Amino acid sequence: MRYQLYYWPGIQGRGEYVRLALEEAGAAYSDVARSGNGMGAMMKMMEAKGLPPFAPPFLRAGKLVIGQTANILLYLGARHGLAPKAEPGKLWLHQLQLTITDFVSEIHDTHHPLGPTLYYEDQRAAAKKRTEEFWKERVPKYLGYFERLLKANGGAYVTGRRLTYVDLSLFQIVEGLRYAFPKRMKAFERETPGLIGLRDRVVARPNIKAYLASDRRIAFNEDGIFRRYKALDI
């Protein structure tokens, strides 16, 4: 099966978590909105009658159209060996991905705490206050939680010896925070050696290594979730 991924063409965003899973699995897929009239096709699907997706990312798999990042990964994980086979393990992994989803929203809100329709320049003071609280309270809570899971399971990955889509998502979290907050992240990394080791193991995987070196990997930029504002990285 050749999948069709629908996501905004110029950013990694939430679609990147799906791309990483597809790339690690060696699955055939097209990033629809990045070529031809892909943007038009994506908008048409969201305006269709029946059961349209609310917003990208969404994935077409045969006759199925699956929306929401964690939901897509739940589907892909079961079909490409990126999740446990037993139901309790699948649900546990899905729970972890939903926790990552919450964290991604908090990362976004460091630079747009008053809402995405306002420019960053219109909410600088609120963004600075939000960012201070984020690094003091939220980053230790989230990353500390996953650090403890790694240590408790005693394996190379969050659930043990086998890589799952959650490990790929945590790699993206570490990379994104390094880009958006290089100073703050460098200072914090000594608190999460397990996660940094996990990041390094993911980078070394052949399919991921090839993907990161390809033009399929969109570079971090100032339009995505992980944005670099020097005023916040102090």
Side-chain angles (χ1 to χ4, degrees), residues 20 84 157 177 184 199:
L20 286 166
Y157 302 108
L177 290 175
R184 292 179 186 266
R199 175 264 174 203

Side-chain angles (χ1 to χ4, degrees), residues 3-81:
Y3 298 106
Q4 291 178 307
L5 172 64
Y6 292 82
Y7 196 66
W8 309 113
I11 59 174
Q12 293 181 8
R14 291 171 176 82
E16 191 65 15
Y17 301 92
V18 180
R19 293 189 191 103
L20 286 166
L22 290 167
E23 292 285 347
E24 169 62 24
Y29 75 99
S30 56
D31 212 334
V32 178
R34 295 179 67 183
S35 61
N37 189 37
M39 275 292 294
M42 183 171 77
M43 301 308 294
K44 185 177 181 180
M45 287 187 68
M46 288 190 287
E47 295 166 359
K49 295 180 180 180
L51 302 173
F54 175 71
F58 51 91
L59 185 79
R60 182 187 286 277
K63 295 182 179 180
L64 286 176
V65 177
I66 308 158
Q68 295 287 355
T69 303
N71 202 31
I72 298 169
L73 292 173
L74 178 66
Y75 175 84
L76 291 175
R79 284 153 181 77
H80 294 282

Side-chain angles (χ1 to χ4, degrees), residues 83-112:
K85 293 182 179 180
E87 193 72 8
K90 286 181 184 178
L91 291 174
W92 169 241
L93 203 67
H94 186 52
Q95 178 177 318
L96 294 180
Q97 189 65 42
L98 289 170
T99 302
I100 291 172
T101 299
D102 290 342
F103 189 37
V104 170
S105 293
E106 294 201 30
I107 293 168
H108 171 271
D109 289 348
T110 59
H111 49 77
H112 279 74

